[in-house]
């Protein structure tokens, strides 16, 4: 049985854990430049969404919304892909780190660590693989990394095959 596209994208993302910008802080590097170029954004641009788009493209899926997390999320809402229940492995998470309600960062769920329901909302932790992140910087941090994130002020998107 063939894996779903979202699980294939996760497998690809795992292969890039540890890729870093070169030089640090530049939003550049051989792989990073390729991801940004494929997403149609200028070299040296923040690349979290470009990374995610590249992983899904390798899995055979063309994501909508361009290289902006906010436009991607809008595309997902329009196409009925927004998760209204529990997130699963391979789902995309769109984070909001500030109060402007526009998504700031994106990752792909590797594991749901803990989850509890409160009516129609949920709270808990996920292990995520993200591009352009670092422990000291939630977005635009310079590498592909596994992160453990609290699920708050975020939305999940399930990409269908």
């Amino acid at each position: 049985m063939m894996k779903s596209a979202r699980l294939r994208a996760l497998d690809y993302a795992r292969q890039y854990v540890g890729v870093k910008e070169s030089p640090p802080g530049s939003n550049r590097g051989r792989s990073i430049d390729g991801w940004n170029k494929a997403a149609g954004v200028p070299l040296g641009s923040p690349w979290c969404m470009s990374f995610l788009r590249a992983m899904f493209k390798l899995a055979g899926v063309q994501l909508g919304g361009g290289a902006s997390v906010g436009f991607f999320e809008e595309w997902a809402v329009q196409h009925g892909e927004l998760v209204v229940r529990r997130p699963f492995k391979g789902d995309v998470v769109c984070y909001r780190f500030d109060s402007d309600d526009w998504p700031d960062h994106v990752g792909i769920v590797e594991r749901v660590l803990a989850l509890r329901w409160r009516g129609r909302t949920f709270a808990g932790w996920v292990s995520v693989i993200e591009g352009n992140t670092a422990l000291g910087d939630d977005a635009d941090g310079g590498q592909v990394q596994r992160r453990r994130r609290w699920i708050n002020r975020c939305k999940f998107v399930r990409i269908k095959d």
Side-chain angles (χ1 to χ4, degrees):
M1 182 174 177
M2 188 168 166
K3 284 185 178 182
S4 68
R6 68 180 208 265
L7 294 181
R8 292 192 313 271
L10 175 60
D11 287 343
Y12 286 116
R14 287 175 172 144
Q15 294 175 27
Y16 288 97
V17 169
V19 168
K20 296 180 181 181
E21 293 175 2
S22 178
S26 67
N27 283 323
R28 300 287 308 267
R30 185 170 38 186
S31 294
I32 296 161
D33 286 352
W35 298 329
N36 271 341
K37 190 174 184 181
V41 297
L43 300 183
S45 296
W47 51 276
C48 64
M49 191 66 215
S50 297
F51 170 73
L52 190 78
R53 290 179 62 79
M55 298 307 103
F56 274 91
K57 186 173 183 179
L58 288 169
V61 175
Q62 186 70 35
L63 298 179
S68 161
V69 179
F71 293 145
F72 163 74
E73 187 180 282
E74 287 177 356
W75 170 84
V77 169
Q78 292 172 3
H79 291 83
E81 308 277 346
L82 203 62
V83 173
V84 293
R85 296 211 185 265
R86 181 188 192 280
F88 289 110
K89 183 188 296 190
D91 284 348
V92 176
V93 57
C94 301
Y95 301 104
R96 286 160 176 73
F97 295 130
D98 51 33
S99 61
D100 67 4
D101 205 36
W102 184 256
D104 300 296
H105 192 56
V106 67
I108 185 167
V109 175
E110 188 171 33
R111 281 185 18 197
V112 177
L113 301 171
L115 194 67
R116 70 175 183 269
W117 288 92
R118 293 185 202 158
R120 296 197 71 190
T121 62
F122 52 88
W125 294 92
V126 290
S127 173
V128 182
I129 297 178
E130 302 170 5
N132 204 15
T133 192
L135 292 179
D137 191 346
D138 287 329
D140 203 18
Q143 63 183 319
V144 179
Q145 194 175 61
R146 279 186 174 90
R147 298 290 306 266
R148 181 179 167 187
R149 298 272 197 186
W150 175 247
I151 303 170
N152 62 343
R153 294 189 48 80
C154 67
K155 291 184 179 176
F156 292 91
V157 176
R158 184 156 304 136
I159 303 301
K160 299 175 185 171
D161 290 281

